[in-house]
Amino acid sequence: MQTNNKITVAIVDDQKLIIDGLISLLQESPEIEVVGYSTNGNQVKELIENKKPSVILLDYRFPELSKDGIEIATEMLAYYPTSKFLMLTSYDEFALVKEALKKGIKGYLLKNT
């Protein structure tokens, strides 16, 4: 959901350094508000329920999990079909981009851009 006409964002990435960098960059925009973050892919549902972000930036790979970000987003979209997921990853394989978009993820961002 949007608060005060801002785009609310939650970030889920296993690297805290990436999260901190994204928060720093996104805070520069008056249209964006970071409402939450997690380094644990298992906490996506909790973030959505508690923070109600309009956009979730989600990493592709979580070493501690047996599922990837595409699988996590697909599961969450079954519960929260209006959520907007953007895959955030260093994997630039076209097959992953295609799979992500086919599963309902709205965009695919490379960490090096």
Side-chain angles (χ1 to χ4, degrees):
M1 303 214 110
Q2 292 187 355
T3 315
N4 301 326
N5 295 321
K6 288 187 176 188
I7 299 168
T8 55
V9 176
I11 304 167
V12 185
D13 193 296
D14 64 315
Q15 298 177 37
K16 182 72 166 72
L17 183 63
I18 296 291
I19 291 171
D20 291 343
L22 286 168
I23 290 172
S24 179
L25 285 171
L26 294 172
Q27 284 178 336
E28 293 180 16
S29 173
E31 295 90 20
I32 298 173
E33 178 183 1
V34 178
V35 295
Y37 68 87
S38 178
T39 57
N40 185 334
N42 283 326
Q43 294 181 336
V44 175
K45 186 174 184 179
E46 180 180 328
L47 261 177
I48 294 171
E49 288 177 356
N50 294 333
K51 303 297 183 175
K52 301 187 180 14
S54 52
V55 175
I56 301 98
L57 294 176
L58 181 64
D59 194 4
Y60 172 73
R61 186 170 175 269
F62 292 93
E64 78 279 2
L65 300 179
S66 62
K67 53 189 168 185
D68 61 40
I70 295 173
E71 292 169 306
I72 293 168
T74 302
E75 288 174 14
M76 292 303 100
L77 285 167
Y79 293 105
Y80 308 100
T82 60
S83 293
K84 309 285 188 280
F85 284 90
L86 297 176
M87 189 63 47
L88 178 66
T89 184
S90 56
Y91 295 94
D92 64 351
E93 300 169 28
F94 182 71
L96 290 177
V97 176
K98 189 175 176 180
E99 179 185 358
L101 296 175
K102 191 165 88 173
K103 298 281 176 107
I105 294 169
K106 300 297 182 191
Y108 196 97
L109 307 168
L110 294 176
K111 289 181 180 179
N112 66 355
T113 56

